C-alpha cells in the first residue's frame, strides 16, 4: 500500500479513535472538574458530544471547500497539528468551559474526514472509488474498536492520560504525512473558495441541483440516521433486554467494529464485483432491515451477540453510495461533496440520539401501553425501508460537474 494511502487511513482512524479514546474517562474527568454527581456529569457529557457533532455539521463543507481551493495536503496537515494542540489543551483543562472549547475545536478538526475521502477520490479510478471509500470506512471501524479499548487501558494512569496519548498520535501522524503526502489538487481542478457554498445549506443546495444527486443525499441521510441507533441506545438496550454488564456491551461493540472493518476493507470489493454499486446499495438496505428487525425482537443475549457482527454486513451501503455520488460531480468538487456528506453524517449524529432514546424511553416506561425495548431498531428499520424506496424510485444518472 502506498505510504500516502496509509497516512490517509491512519488519519481517519485517529479521527475515530480520538472520540472513543476519551469516552472512558469523560465521566470521571467532568466530575473531577465540576465536583458534581454522575447524573450532572452525564448531562454535560451529552452537551459536549452534541457540540462536537454540531461543529462537524457546520464545518464539513468549509474544510472540504478549503481543500478544493488550497489542496488536500495543507488542510490535512494543519488540521492534525491543531488537533494535537487541542488534545493538549483538554489534557490540562481545569474548567468545563475549556473542555467545551476543546470539543468545539475538536469537532472542526475531525471534519477532515471529508478531505481524506476527497484525497481517495483524487487518486482512484472512478470504478475503484467505492472500494477505496470502503478502506476509509474500515479504518474508521478499526478506530471505533481501538479507541475505547486504548482509552480504558490508559485511564489506569489517570483521567488526563488518554488526551496526552491522542495528542502524541496526531502529532506523529502529522510528521508522517509531511514526509509522504503529495498534493493531488492541481491548477486544472483547483477552484475559488466561496462562502455561499462553504456551508451546509449552500453545499446541499448546489449539489442538489445535479440530476439524481438530491435523492442520493436523502438516502445517505436516512441510512446515517438509522445507523446511529447503535451508539445511541445499544448500551441501554443491552442492559434492559438482556441484563448485560458493561464488559459484555463493550464486547458486542468490538465485534461490530471488527466486522465493520472486515466488510468495508475487504468484503465490499467482492460484493461490488458481484452486484455493482447500485445492487450493493440495495443488498445493504435489505440486510439492514432484516438485522434491525431481528435485533428488535430477539430475547436471547447469545443470539443478539451473534446478530451483532452479522448486522455489520450492511456496512457496504456507505462506500457504495459515496462511489455513485463521487462519479456525479467533477474532480474540482470532490472536497465539496465529501464535506456535504460529513455534514449529513453530523446532522444524523445530532438528531438520531434524541429520536432513538425517546423511542426507547417511551416503550420501556412503566406506563407504556406496549413494552418493547427494541422499538428504536424498529424505527431504524422503517427509516431504511424509506431510504430504499427513495433509492429505487430515483435511479442515479450521470451528471455534469458542479459549476465553479
Amino acid at each position: 500500500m502506498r505510504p500516502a494511502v496509509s497516512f490517509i487511513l491512519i488519519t481517519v482512524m485517529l479521527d475515530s479513535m480520538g472520540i472513543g479514546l476519551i469516552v472512558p474517562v469523560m465521566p470521571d474527568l467532568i466530575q473531577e472538574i465540576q465536583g458534581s454527581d454522575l447524573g450532572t456529569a452525564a448531562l454535560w457529557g451529552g452537551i459536549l458530544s452534541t457540540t462536537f457533532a454540531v461543529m462537524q455539521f457546520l464545518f464539513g463543507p468549509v474544510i472540504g471547500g478549503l481543500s478544493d481551493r488550497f489542496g488536500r495536503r495543507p488542510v490535512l496537515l494543519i488540521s492534525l497539528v491543531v488537533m494535537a494542540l487541542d488534545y493538549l489543551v483538554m489534557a490540562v483543562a481545569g474548567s468545563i468551559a475549556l473542555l467545551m472549547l476543546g470539543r468545539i475545536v475538536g469537532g472542526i478538526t475531525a471534519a477532515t474526514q471529508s478531505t481524506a475521502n476527497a484525497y481517495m477520490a483524487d487518486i482512484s479510478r472512478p470504478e475503484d472509488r467505492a472500494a477505496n471509500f470502503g478502506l476509509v470506512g474500515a479504518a474508521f471501524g478499526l478506530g471505533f474498536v481501538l479507541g475505547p479499548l486504548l482509552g480504558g487501558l490508559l485511564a489506569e494512569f489517570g483521567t488526563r492520560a488518554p488526551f496526552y496519548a491522542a495528542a502524541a498520535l496526531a502529532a506523529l501522524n502529522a510528521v508522517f504525512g509531511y514526509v509522504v503526502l503529495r498534493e493531488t489538487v492541481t491548477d486544472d481542478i483547483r477552484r475559488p473558495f466561496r462562502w455561499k457554498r462553504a456551508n451546509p445549506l449552500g453545499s446541499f443546495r448546489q449539489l442538489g441541483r445535479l440530476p439524481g444527486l438530491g435523492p442520493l443525499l436523502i438516502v445517505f441521510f436516512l441510512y446515517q440516521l438509522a445507523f446511529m441507533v447503535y451508539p445511541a441506545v445499544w448500551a441501554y438496550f443491552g442492559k434492559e433486554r438482556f441484563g448485560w454488564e458493561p464488559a459484555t456491551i463493550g464486547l458486542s461493540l468490538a465485534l461490530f467494529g471488527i466486522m465493520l472493518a472486515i466488510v468495508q476493507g475487504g468484503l465490499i470489493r467482492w460484493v461490488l464485483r458481484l452486484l455493482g454499486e447500485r445492487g450493493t446499495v440495495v443488498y445493504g438496505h435489505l440486510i439492514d432491515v432484516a438485522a434491525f428487525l431481528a435485533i428488535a425482537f430477539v430475547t436471547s443475549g447469545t443470539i443478539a451477540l451473534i446478530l451483532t457482527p452479522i448486522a455489520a454486513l450492511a456496512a457496504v451501503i456507505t462506500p457504495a453510495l459515496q462511489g455513485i455520488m463521487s462519479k456525479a460531480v467533477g474532480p474540482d468538487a470532490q472536497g465539496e461533496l465529501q464535506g456535504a456528506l460529513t455534514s449529513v453524517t453530523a446532522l444524523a449524529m445530532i438528531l438520531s440520539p434524541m429520536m432513538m432514546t425517546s423511542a426507547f424511553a417511551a416503550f420501556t416506561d412503566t406506563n407504556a401501553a406496549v413494552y418493547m425495548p427494541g422499538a428504536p431498531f424498529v424505527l431504524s428499520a422503517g427509516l431504511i425501508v424509506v431510504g430504499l424506496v427513495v433509492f429505487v424510485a430515483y435511479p442515479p444518472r450521470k451528471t455534469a460537474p458542479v459549476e465553479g
Side-chain angles (χ1 to χ4, degrees):
M1 184 180 295
R2 286 176 288 179
V5 174
S6 298
F7 165 77
I8 292 297
L9 299 181
I10 292 172
T11 299
V12 173
M13 186 176 68
L14 287 180
D15 283 348
S16 177
M17 280 183 62
I19 301 170
L21 191 67
I22 64 177
V23 166
V25 300
M26 286 303 285
D28 290 339
L29 179 61
I30 295 172
Q31 285 185 286
E32 177 185 310
I33 290 174
Q34 290 280 91
S36 58
D37 58 24
L38 185 60
T40 303
L43 177 62
W44 275 109
I47 293 172
L48 292 171
S49 297
T50 300
T51 299
F52 185 90
V54 169
M55 290 302 103
Q56 284 199 306
F57 170 71
L58 293 175
F59 284 89
V62 175
I63 300 297
L66 287 172
S67 76
D68 283 336
R69 169 62 181 88
F70 298 104
R72 320 295 184 209
R73 177 182 161 89
V75 168
L76 287 168
L77 295 182
I78 291 172
S79 294
L80 282 168
V81 171
V82 174
M83 181 185 293
L85 294 174
D86 179 60
Y87 280 126
L88 288 177
V89 169
M90 294 185 70
V92 300
S95 68
I96 199 70
L98 204 52
L99 278 181
M100 179 70 75
L101 177 63
R103 288 289 78 188
I104 290 173
V105 175
I108 296 172
T109 57
T112 50
Q113 187 171 349
S114 62
T115 307
N117 275 320
Y119 189 94
M120 292 298 278
D122 292 341
I123 64 173
S124 305
R125 296 177 300 177
E127 61 272 21
D128 294 332
R129 285 178 184 168
N132 287 339
F133 288 144
L135 288 176
V136 175
F140 187 90
L142 189 59
F144 180 81
V145 175
L146 294 178
L149 178 63
L150 184 58
L153 293 174
L154 290 172
E156 296 298 319
F157 299 95
T159 56
R160 312 290 177 149
F163 294 95
Y164 287 115
L169 289 172
L172 288 173
N173 195 41
V175 174
F176 178 50
Y178 182 82
V179 174
V180 304
L181 194 67
R182 64 178 179 84
E183 185 54 69
T184 57
V185 176
T186 64
D187 290 339
D188 291 336
I189 64 174
R190 194 185 309 275
R191 70 176 189 182
F193 178 81
R194 296 179 179 176
W195 281 109
K196 69 176 183 178
R197 294 170 64 151
N199 64 83
L201 296 181
S203 181
F204 295 160
R205 182 168 54 249
Q206 182 68 28
L207 293 169
R209 291 173 182 168
L210 294 175
L213 199 55
L216 290 176
L217 288 172
I218 294 172
V219 174
F220 188 86
F221 172 68
L222 290 172
Y223 171 73
Q224 295 297 332
L225 201 62
F227 177 82
M228 294 298 169
V229 69
Y230 291 110
V233 302
W234 185 255
Y236 307 101
F237 170 74
K239 183 174 182 178
E240 175 71 19
R241 173 69 91 178
F242 312 116
W244 282 349
E245 296 295 326
T248 306
I249 294 170
L251 172 63
S252 64
L253 290 174
L255 287 173
F256 185 85
I258 291 169
M259 192 62 182
L260 187 75
I262 292 173
V263 169
Q264 294 195 333
L267 183 61
I268 187 175
R269 295 175 183 272
W270 178 80
V271 177
L272 285 168
R273 285 196 297 269
L274 183 66
L275 302 177
E277 289 175 345
R278 184 169 173 79
T280 297
V281 173
V282 173
Y283 149 81
H285 277 76
L286 294 176
I287 290 291
D288 241 348
V289 171
F292 282 140
L293 291 178
I295 290 172
F297 295 104
V298 70
T299 56
S300 166
T302 301
I303 295 176
L305 283 174
I306 295 172
L307 287 173
T308 301
I310 294 176
L313 292 173
V316 295
I317 294 174
T318 300
L321 275 174
Q322 285 178 299
I324 294 171
M325 288 187 279
S326 180
K327 293 177 183 177
V329 302
D332 64 337
Q334 293 297 326
E336 180 181 39
L337 170 64
Q338 300 304 330
L341 296 182
T342 297
S343 286
V344 169
T345 302
L347 183 60
M349 289 172 62
I350 295 168
L351 297 178
S352 188
M354 293 185 289
M355 293 172 54
M356 300 306 173
T357 54
S358 295
F360 180 82
F363 283 88
T364 56
D365 187 82
T366 53
N367 297 320
V370 177
Y371 175 75
M372 187 187 297
F377 295 94
V378 176
L379 174 57
S380 290
L383 291 170
I384 292 294
V385 169
V386 174
L388 180 58
V389 170
V390 173
F391 183 77
V392 172
Y394 297 94
R397 291 173 286 172
K398 187 176 181 180
T399 60
V402 177
E403 295 180 0

